[in-house]
Structures are given as C-alpha cells and as structure tokens.
Amino acid sequence: MKTYRTVFPVGQFLISLLFTVCALAIAAFAAYYLWAGIWPLAAVSVSTRINALLECIALLTIASASLELGQILIEEEVLREAQMSAPTRVRRFLSRFMVVLVVALSIETLAAVFRYAHDQPQYLPYAATIGLTAAVLLAAWGVFVRLNRSVEELEPQAMQEVQAEDEQLKT
C-alpha cells in the first residue's frame, strides 16, 4: 500500500508537467496566430487578421486552462497529498476545476460568436451550445455547492485545516 501512496503523487506530478508542456506549446501556436494577425507587411484582409486573433484568444484560453489544471494537480494532489474522502476537499478540488472549465468555455463562446457572426452565421448555434454548456455547468456547480454547504457546517475543522494548508503553501 505504501508503494501506491508514492506512485500516485509521482504520476500526478508527471501529468501536471505534461499539462504545463502542452500549455507552453499551445501558447507558442497562439503567438504564431498573433503574429499572423498583426504583421503589417502581410497582404491579407482585415477579416483574416481578426480570425487569426480570435484563434489566438481561443488557444490562449486552452493554454491557460491547461496551466491551471496542472497547478491544481500539483497543489491538491502532490503538495497536499490530499485524500479526496473529505467532503470539504472534494468540493474545493471540484470548485477549482469548475472555475477553470466555466471561464474557458465562456471565453471560447465569445471567441466563437465573434468568429462566426459575420462570415458564417450558420455556425452560431454551435457557439450558443458552448455557452449553454458553460451556463449549465455553472448552475450545476452552484447547486452542488449549495447542497454541500451543510456538510461544511458539520465539519468546520476540515475547512480550518484546508485554510491552514493554504497559508503554508503561500510561504
């Protein structure tokens, strides 16, 4: 059993490292799109430039989400060695993940709407579906937090422990 307890944090660290490497690679692609969108000597239309910039924003959103997921794994699984049996820890982990997901989907919705509004309006329902997904996830997350609030009131010491760990990680 001790072997498993050492293997999992190493695996989580490696996955977090891969998230970081992927985020950096995606950010490099985003920089390419940014350059393609703003390079003044390129003989391309304004519409093409805007599409390149919107693609840059979409890629940066994904890169940011990947970095945040890597950070969540490091902090929650490796540094804290958190056991996900405590309801406070589960809610905290899920909340951090949901923030990343909802924000990324919301930004992607905006980018998709701008991308499709003028040139390809037939794709606007797909952009709306992304936004609807973000809204449903946000609502479901709110219901989850609301229903689990009573659990936190039953174990206030767990929240104090998590807050104490936060202070230790800051130093």
Side-chain angles (χ1 to χ4, degrees):
M1 206 53 180
K2 286 184 179 183
T3 305
Y4 286 124
R5 290 185 184 242
T6 57
V7 168
F8 284 111
V10 170
Q12 296 287 4
F13 176 77
L14 291 175
I15 291 169
S16 176
L17 185 62
L18 289 174
F19 268 121
T20 303
V21 170
C22 288
L24 294 174
I26 291 170
F29 289 126
Y32 171 78
Y33 277 103
L34 176 63
W35 182 250
I38 64 171
W39 189 43
L41 300 178
V44 295
S45 68
V46 173
S47 176
T48 302
R49 290 178 188 274
I50 290 172
N51 284 336
L53 294 176
L54 290 174
E55 192 64 32
C56 175
I57 290 169
L59 289 174
L60 288 174
T61 301
I62 295 167
S64 177
S66 294
L67 277 177
E68 185 65 29
L69 289 174
Q71 180 183 358
I72 290 170
L73 284 175
I74 288 289
E75 289 178 1
E76 298 292 335
E77 298 293 334
V78 177
L79 295 178
R80 293 179 195 267
E81 297 178 5
Q83 301 299 317
M84 286 297 153
S85 59
T88 302
R89 292 194 186 283
V90 172
R91 192 176 69 248
R92 177 188 172 90
F93 184 84
L94 184 60
S95 292
R96 289 185 71 186
F97 178 74
M98 291 300 286
V99 165
V100 171
L101 196 57
V102 168
V103 169
L105 286 172
S106 298
I107 292 171
E108 184 62 29
T109 299
L110 287 173
V113 167
F114 287 129
R115 184 181 309 134
Y116 300 136
H118 298 290
D119 297 334
Q120 299 170 315
Q122 70 271 20
Y123 292 123
L124 283 174
Y126 297 114
T129 303
I130 297 169
L132 185 60
T133 301
V136 168
L137 284 173
L138 183 61
W141 175 37
V143 168
F144 174 78
V145 169
R146 173 84 169 149
L147 293 175
N148 282 296
R149 187 168 175 234
S150 60
V151 174
E152 186 176 301
E153 291 170 358
L154 291 174
E155 57 172 24
Q157 75 282 359
M159 183 53 84
Q160 292 170 350
E161 290 173 13
V162 169
Q163 290 171 343
E165 288 175 355
D166 286 345
E167 290 300 318
Q168 288 177 346
L169 288 177
K170 288 180 184 177
T171 59

